[in-house]
Amino acid sequence: MSIAFLNDSYIPITEAKISPLDRGFLFGDGIYEVIPSYQGKLLGFKAHIDRMLDGLSGIGLKLNWSHSDWQDMCEKLAVQNGNGNLGIYLQVSRGADIKRYHAFPEAVSPTVFGFTFDIPSPPVADKNRAKSYTVSTSEDLRWQRCHIKSTALLGNVLHFQEGYDQGNDETLLYNKRNELTEASACNAFIVKDGVVITPPLGNQLLPGITRNMLVDILRKDGSINVEERVVTMEEVRGADEVWITSSTKEIGAVVSVDDAPVGDGKIGDVWLAAQALFSSHKYDY
Ligand code: PLP
């Protein structure tokens, strides 16, 4: 039985109950995180909590939890759920009022929820063992605050479903200027002539922890050039490699975009080098 944290106790997930008046349920009024934990070792913990605190302050949700409070909860959840390969899901919503009213309620305590789910072993830098991905593309019709990791994910869900319905693993999104933003649940990269390129941070995309770690690891190593700049969809279609990144996937090599092969349609050499560097340095963060 999986064990969850709700407000102040650790309980079996089937016993966790939240009011239907919770603003997370009524308005998607909350912030969440997913932190990988491999055999009890948290990956990118500080960066994930920093992003969650930024999100909470960005939506004016006050919660007096320190990094060590979150760490204690994550470690307890990992232990109580068997310390395997786990995604630790954390969510804070603005809490349950006694009415449905848009303005932030006063004197309502936030709802704090955490649970774990099984995730695969992290990818290894081996072209024969790595999963490859296929993607669709679609105009990004989400909101203009994509840098906030909001629980209001309907826009992302609808975009993910578009790709899924076409038999693909993800959907790459582009804005009205035909510029790549990210994917429905991942950040996106292209590789052209050996240079790794990803769209710049801003309100059009989530500041992905994997994205940021990867850019930093590649820059520190110096053997592969990295650019953060606007990427057009023409560049995506002409790229030698396309990658999607997320905490549970790490670097996912995309082998087809809208059914057209990326490069030679196989996992690329720059992916191999980048995943090897990422695997060596990911616990430095
Ligand atoms: N972009 C979106 C929209 C996401 O939902 C996610 C992960 O959930 C990411 C990017 C990747 O972020 P991270 O690397 O922090 O998991």
Side-chain angles (χ1 to χ4, degrees), residues 32-36 48 51 142 146 148-150 153 156 170 173 182-188 204-213 245-250:
Y32 78 104
E33 271 302 327
V34 177
I35 309 179
H48 280 280
R51 181 173 65 185
R142 301 172 300 161
C146 291
I148 297 177
K149 199 164 169 68
S150 159
L153 285 173
N156 301 61
E170 249 293 9
L173 304 173
E182 58 176 339
S184 71
C186 295
N187 291 109
Q204 298 187 107
L205 54 111
L206 189 77
I209 305 305
T210 319
R211 172 204 182 279
N212 296 350
M213 278 167 53
T245 63
S246 78
S247 294
T248 52
K249 291 188 175 66
E250 298 194 352

Short mmCIF file of all heavy atoms in Angstrom, two decimals, residues 32-36 48 51 142 146 148-150 153 156 170 173 182-188 204-213 245-250, ligand 1:
data_model
loop_
_atom_site.label_atom_id
_atom_site.label_comp_id
_atom_site.label_asym_id
_atom_site.label_seq_id
_atom_site.Cartn_x
_atom_site.Cartn_y
_atom_site.Cartn_z
N TYR A 32 2.88 22.49 -7.95
CA TYR A 32 3.33 21.12 -7.69
C TYR A 32 4.78 20.93 -8.13
O TYR A 32 5.34 21.77 -8.85
CB TYR A 32 2.41 20.10 -8.38
CG TYR A 32 2.66 19.94 -9.86
CD1 TYR A 32 3.33 18.82 -10.36
CD2 TYR A 32 2.26 20.92 -10.76
CE1 TYR A 32 3.57 18.68 -11.72
CE2 TYR A 32 2.51 20.78 -12.13
CZ TYR A 32 3.16 19.66 -12.60
OH TYR A 32 3.41 19.53 -13.94
N GLU A 33 5.34 19.83 -7.71
CA GLU A 33 6.69 19.42 -8.12
C GLU A 33 6.73 17.91 -8.27
O GLU A 33 5.95 17.20 -7.63
CB GLU A 33 7.74 19.81 -7.05
CG GLU A 33 8.33 21.18 -7.19
CD GLU A 33 9.02 21.43 -8.53
OE1 GLU A 33 9.59 20.48 -9.11
OE2 GLU A 33 8.96 22.55 -9.01
N VAL A 34 7.67 17.44 -9.07
CA VAL A 34 7.96 16.00 -9.12
C VAL A 34 9.48 15.86 -9.00
O VAL A 34 10.22 16.40 -9.82
CB VAL A 34 7.47 15.35 -10.42
CG1 VAL A 34 7.88 13.87 -10.46
CG2 VAL A 34 5.96 15.49 -10.58
N ILE A 35 9.92 15.17 -7.95
CA ILE A 35 11.36 15.01 -7.70
C ILE A 35 11.71 13.53 -7.80
O ILE A 35 11.12 12.71 -7.09
CB ILE A 35 11.74 15.52 -6.30
CG1 ILE A 35 11.20 16.95 -6.08
CG2 ILE A 35 13.26 15.46 -6.08
CD1 ILE A 35 11.51 17.53 -4.71
N PRO A 36 12.66 13.15 -8.68
CA PRO A 36 13.04 11.74 -8.73
C PRO A 36 13.86 11.35 -7.50
O PRO A 36 14.63 12.15 -6.97
CB PRO A 36 13.91 11.62 -9.99
CG PRO A 36 13.99 12.96 -10.60
CD PRO A 36 13.42 13.97 -9.64
N HIS A 48 14.47 21.87 -7.22
CA HIS A 48 13.02 21.63 -7.27
C HIS A 48 12.29 22.46 -6.20
O HIS A 48 11.25 23.06 -6.48
CB HIS A 48 12.70 20.15 -7.09
CG HIS A 48 12.89 19.33 -8.32
ND1 HIS A 48 11.96 19.27 -9.33
CD2 HIS A 48 13.91 18.55 -8.74
CE1 HIS A 48 12.39 18.48 -10.30
NE2 HIS A 48 13.58 18.03 -9.97
N ARG A 51 12.25 26.11 -7.05
CA ARG A 51 11.24 26.42 -8.08
C ARG A 51 9.84 26.42 -7.45
O ARG A 51 9.00 27.26 -7.79
CB ARG A 51 11.31 25.42 -9.24
CG ARG A 51 10.29 25.72 -10.33
CD ARG A 51 10.46 24.84 -11.55
NE ARG A 51 10.21 23.44 -11.27
CZ ARG A 51 10.37 22.46 -12.14
NH1 ARG A 51 10.80 22.73 -13.36
NH2 ARG A 51 10.14 21.21 -11.81
N ARG A 142 -1.64 27.19 -24.53
CA ARG A 142 -1.76 27.29 -23.08
C ARG A 142 -1.77 28.76 -22.67
O ARG A 142 -1.85 29.64 -23.51
CB ARG A 142 -0.59 26.56 -22.42
CG ARG A 142 -0.53 25.07 -22.79
CD ARG A 142 0.73 24.44 -22.27
NE ARG A 142 1.90 25.10 -22.82
CZ ARG A 142 3.13 25.04 -22.31
NH1 ARG A 142 3.33 24.31 -21.24
NH2 ARG A 142 4.14 25.66 -22.87
N CYS A 146 3.55 30.16 -18.37
CA CYS A 146 4.01 28.77 -18.39
C CYS A 146 5.24 28.55 -17.52
O CYS A 146 5.65 27.41 -17.29
CB CYS A 146 4.29 28.33 -19.82
SG CYS A 146 2.78 28.21 -20.78
N ILE A 148 5.24 29.15 -14.43
CA ILE A 148 4.72 28.73 -13.11
C ILE A 148 4.28 27.27 -13.20
O ILE A 148 3.50 26.91 -14.09
CB ILE A 148 3.54 29.63 -12.68
CG1 ILE A 148 4.02 31.07 -12.50
CG2 ILE A 148 2.90 29.11 -11.39
CD1 ILE A 148 2.90 32.05 -12.15
N LYS A 149 4.77 26.45 -12.29
CA LYS A 149 4.42 25.02 -12.33
C LYS A 149 3.08 24.82 -11.62
O LYS A 149 2.99 24.30 -10.50
CB LYS A 149 5.53 24.17 -11.70
CG LYS A 149 5.47 22.70 -12.11
CD LYS A 149 6.76 22.00 -11.79
CE LYS A 149 6.68 20.49 -11.93
NZ LYS A 149 6.51 20.01 -13.31
N SER A 150 2.04 25.32 -12.30
CA SER A 150 0.70 25.33 -11.74
C SER A 150 0.06 23.94 -11.88
O SER A 150 0.33 23.21 -12.84
CB SER A 150 -0.12 26.35 -12.52
OG SER A 150 -1.49 26.10 -12.38
N LEU A 153 -3.39 22.13 -15.25
CA LEU A 153 -2.65 21.55 -16.38
C LEU A 153 -3.53 21.16 -17.56
O LEU A 153 -3.08 20.42 -18.42
CB LEU A 153 -1.88 20.31 -15.88
CG LEU A 153 -0.62 20.61 -15.06
CD1 LEU A 153 -0.03 19.33 -14.50
CD2 LEU A 153 0.43 21.32 -15.91
N ASN A 156 -1.98 21.68 -20.90
CA ASN A 156 -0.92 20.70 -21.17
C ASN A 156 -1.51 19.33 -21.48
O ASN A 156 -1.05 18.62 -22.38
CB ASN A 156 -0.01 20.58 -19.94
CG ASN A 156 0.63 21.90 -19.57
OD1 ASN A 156 -0.07 22.85 -19.25
ND2 ASN A 156 1.94 21.98 -19.64
N GLU A 170 4.85 12.56 -27.26
CA GLU A 170 4.80 13.94 -26.77
C GLU A 170 4.34 14.84 -27.91
O GLU A 170 4.21 14.41 -29.08
CB GLU A 170 6.20 14.40 -26.31
CG GLU A 170 6.34 14.60 -24.81
CD GLU A 170 5.52 15.76 -24.24
OE1 GLU A 170 4.67 16.36 -24.93
OE2 GLU A 170 5.74 16.08 -23.06
N LEU A 173 5.50 22.14 -28.93
CA LEU A 173 4.60 23.30 -29.04
C LEU A 173 5.34 24.48 -29.64
O LEU A 173 6.54 24.67 -29.39
CB LEU A 173 4.07 23.65 -27.65
CG LEU A 173 3.36 22.49 -26.94
CD1 LEU A 173 3.01 22.86 -25.49
CD2 LEU A 173 2.10 22.07 -27.70
N GLU A 182 8.17 24.61 -25.84
CA GLU A 182 8.62 23.41 -25.12
C GLU A 182 7.72 22.26 -25.58
O GLU A 182 7.17 22.33 -26.68
CB GLU A 182 8.57 23.63 -23.60
CG GLU A 182 7.20 24.02 -23.06
CD GLU A 182 7.15 24.15 -21.54
OE1 GLU A 182 8.00 23.58 -20.84
OE2 GLU A 182 6.21 24.81 -21.04
N ALA A 183 7.57 21.21 -24.78
CA ALA A 183 6.60 20.16 -25.09
C ALA A 183 5.57 20.17 -23.95
O ALA A 183 5.69 20.93 -23.00
CB ALA A 183 7.30 18.81 -25.19
N SER A 184 4.53 19.34 -24.06
CA SER A 184 3.43 19.44 -23.09
C SER A 184 3.87 19.09 -21.67
O SER A 184 3.30 19.60 -20.71
CB SER A 184 2.26 18.57 -23.51
OG SER A 184 2.59 17.22 -23.36
N ALA A 185 4.89 18.25 -21.52
CA ALA A 185 5.37 17.90 -20.17
C ALA A 185 6.89 17.78 -20.14
O ALA A 185 7.44 17.08 -19.28
CB ALA A 185 4.72 16.60 -19.70
N CYS A 186 7.56 18.43 -21.08
CA CYS A 186 9.03 18.35 -21.18
C CYS A 186 9.55 19.66 -21.75
O CYS A 186 8.81 20.37 -22.42
CB CYS A 186 9.46 17.27 -22.19
SG CYS A 186 9.04 15.58 -21.76
N ASN A 187 10.81 19.95 -21.55
CA ASN A 187 11.48 21.01 -22.32
C ASN A 187 12.02 20.40 -23.61
O ASN A 187 12.07 19.18 -23.77
CB ASN A 187 12.61 21.64 -21.49
CG ASN A 187 12.07 22.46 -20.33
OD1 ASN A 187 12.19 22.07 -19.17
ND2 ASN A 187 11.45 23.58 -20.65
N ALA A 188 12.40 21.28 -24.54
CA ALA A 188 12.82 20.78 -25.86
C ALA A 188 14.15 21.39 -26.26
O ALA A 188 14.45 22.55 -25.93
CB ALA A 188 11.74 21.11 -26.89
N GLN A 204 7.04 31.64 -21.60
CA GLN A 204 6.49 30.66 -22.54
C GLN A 204 6.82 29.22 -22.19
O GLN A 204 6.34 28.30 -22.85
CB GLN A 204 7.01 30.92 -23.95
CG GLN A 204 6.63 32.28 -24.51
CD GLN A 204 7.03 32.39 -25.97
OE1 GLN A 204 6.20 32.35 -26.86
NE2 GLN A 204 8.31 32.50 -26.21
N LEU A 205 7.68 29.02 -21.19
CA LEU A 205 8.07 27.65 -20.87
C LEU A 205 8.44 27.50 -19.41
O LEU A 205 8.79 28.46 -18.74
CB LEU A 205 9.23 27.18 -21.76
CG LEU A 205 10.49 28.03 -21.80
CD1 LEU A 205 11.64 27.34 -21.11
CD2 LEU A 205 10.85 28.30 -23.26
N LEU A 206 8.36 26.24 -18.94
CA LEU A 206 8.73 25.94 -17.57
C LEU A 206 10.26 25.95 -17.47
O LEU A 206 10.93 25.37 -18.33
CB LEU A 206 8.19 24.56 -17.18
CG LEU A 206 8.34 24.23 -15.71
CD1 LEU A 206 7.28 24.97 -14.89
CD2 LEU A 206 8.22 22.74 -15.46
N PRO A 207 10.80 26.58 -16.40
CA PRO A 207 12.25 26.47 -16.18
C PRO A 207 12.57 25.06 -15.67
O PRO A 207 12.65 24.82 -14.46
CB PRO A 207 12.56 27.56 -15.15
CG PRO A 207 11.27 27.81 -14.44
CD PRO A 207 10.15 27.42 -15.38
N GLY A 208 12.69 24.14 -16.58
CA GLY A 208 12.85 22.73 -16.23
C GLY A 208 14.15 22.52 -15.47
O GLY A 208 15.20 23.06 -15.84
N ILE A 209 14.08 21.72 -14.41
CA ILE A 209 15.30 21.44 -13.63
C ILE A 209 16.28 20.65 -14.50
O ILE A 209 17.48 20.91 -14.49
CB ILE A 209 14.93 20.65 -12.34
CG1 ILE A 209 13.87 21.41 -11.52
CG2 ILE A 209 16.18 20.35 -11.52
CD1 ILE A 209 14.20 22.83 -11.14
N THR A 210 15.77 19.71 -15.28
CA THR A 210 16.65 18.91 -16.15
C THR A 210 17.27 19.80 -17.22
O THR A 210 18.48 19.71 -17.50
CB THR A 210 15.83 17.78 -16.81
OG1 THR A 210 14.95 17.24 -15.83
CG2 THR A 210 16.73 16.69 -17.36
N ARG A 211 16.44 20.66 -17.82
CA ARG A 211 16.95 21.62 -18.82
C ARG A 211 18.09 22.44 -18.25
O ARG A 211 19.17 22.55 -18.84
CB ARG A 211 15.81 22.56 -19.25
CG ARG A 211 16.24 23.72 -20.14
CD ARG A 211 15.27 24.89 -20.04
NE ARG A 211 15.65 25.99 -20.92
CZ ARG A 211 16.60 26.90 -20.62
NH1 ARG A 211 17.27 26.83 -19.48
NH2 ARG A 211 16.88 27.86 -21.49
N ASN A 212 17.84 23.03 -17.07
CA ASN A 212 18.83 23.93 -16.48
C ASN A 212 20.10 23.19 -16.08
O ASN A 212 21.21 23.68 -16.28
CB ASN A 212 18.23 24.68 -15.28
CG ASN A 212 17.08 25.58 -15.70
OD1 ASN A 212 16.85 25.80 -16.89
ND2 ASN A 212 16.33 26.09 -14.73
N MET A 213 19.93 21.98 -15.51
CA MET A 213 21.11 21.19 -15.14
C MET A 213 21.90 20.81 -16.38
O MET A 213 23.14 20.90 -16.39
CB MET A 213 20.66 19.91 -14.40
CG MET A 213 20.37 20.13 -12.92
SD MET A 213 19.49 18.75 -12.11
CE MET A 213 20.47 17.36 -12.51
N THR A 245 13.41 16.90 -22.51
CA THR A 245 13.98 16.62 -21.19
C THR A 245 12.93 16.77 -20.10
O THR A 245 12.06 17.62 -20.17
CB THR A 245 15.15 17.59 -20.85
OG1 THR A 245 14.66 18.93 -20.79
CG2 THR A 245 16.27 17.50 -21.87
N SER A 246 13.04 15.90 -19.10
CA SER A 246 12.22 16.06 -17.89
C SER A 246 12.88 15.24 -16.79
O SER A 246 13.76 14.41 -17.06
CB SER A 246 10.78 15.59 -18.11
OG SER A 246 10.71 14.19 -18.07
N SER A 247 12.42 15.48 -15.57
CA SER A 247 13.07 14.84 -14.42
C SER A 247 13.02 13.32 -14.50
O SER A 247 13.96 12.66 -14.08
CB SER A 247 12.38 15.30 -13.14
OG SER A 247 12.61 16.66 -12.96
N THR A 248 11.93 12.76 -14.99
CA THR A 248 11.83 11.30 -15.02
C THR A 248 12.40 10.70 -16.31
O THR A 248 12.74 9.53 -16.35
CB THR A 248 10.37 10.84 -14.82
OG1 THR A 248 9.56 11.54 -15.76
CG2 THR A 248 9.89 11.14 -13.42
N LYS A 249 12.51 11.50 -17.38
CA LYS A 249 13.07 10.99 -18.64
C LYS A 249 14.56 11.29 -18.77
O LYS A 249 15.25 10.67 -19.55
CB LYS A 249 12.40 11.67 -19.84
CG LYS A 249 10.96 11.29 -20.07
CD LYS A 249 10.47 11.88 -21.41
CE LYS A 249 9.07 11.42 -21.72
NZ LYS A 249 8.08 11.93 -20.78
N GLU A 250 15.05 12.32 -18.06
CA GLU A 250 16.38 12.91 -18.30
C GLU A 250 16.40 13.42 -19.74
O GLU A 250 15.55 14.22 -20.10
CB GLU A 250 17.50 11.95 -17.93
CG GLU A 250 17.41 11.64 -16.43
CD GLU A 250 18.61 10.98 -15.81
OE1 GLU A 250 19.54 10.57 -16.52
OE2 GLU A 250 18.60 10.84 -14.56
N1 PLP B 1 7.84 21.56 -19.22
C1 PLP B 1 6.66 21.17 -18.71
C2 PLP B 1 5.41 21.79 -19.22
C3 PLP B 1 6.61 20.18 -17.71
O1 PLP B 1 5.43 19.80 -17.20
C4 PLP B 1 7.82 19.59 -17.27
C5 PLP B 1 7.82 18.55 -16.24
O2 PLP B 1 6.82 18.22 -15.68
C6 PLP B 1 9.02 20.01 -17.84
C7 PLP B 1 9.00 21.00 -18.80
C8 PLP B 1 10.32 19.43 -17.39
O3 PLP B 1 10.69 19.93 -16.13
P1 PLP B 1 11.65 19.16 -15.13
O4 PLP B 1 12.94 18.95 -15.88
O5 PLP B 1 11.81 20.09 -13.99
O6 PLP B 1 10.99 17.87 -14.78
#
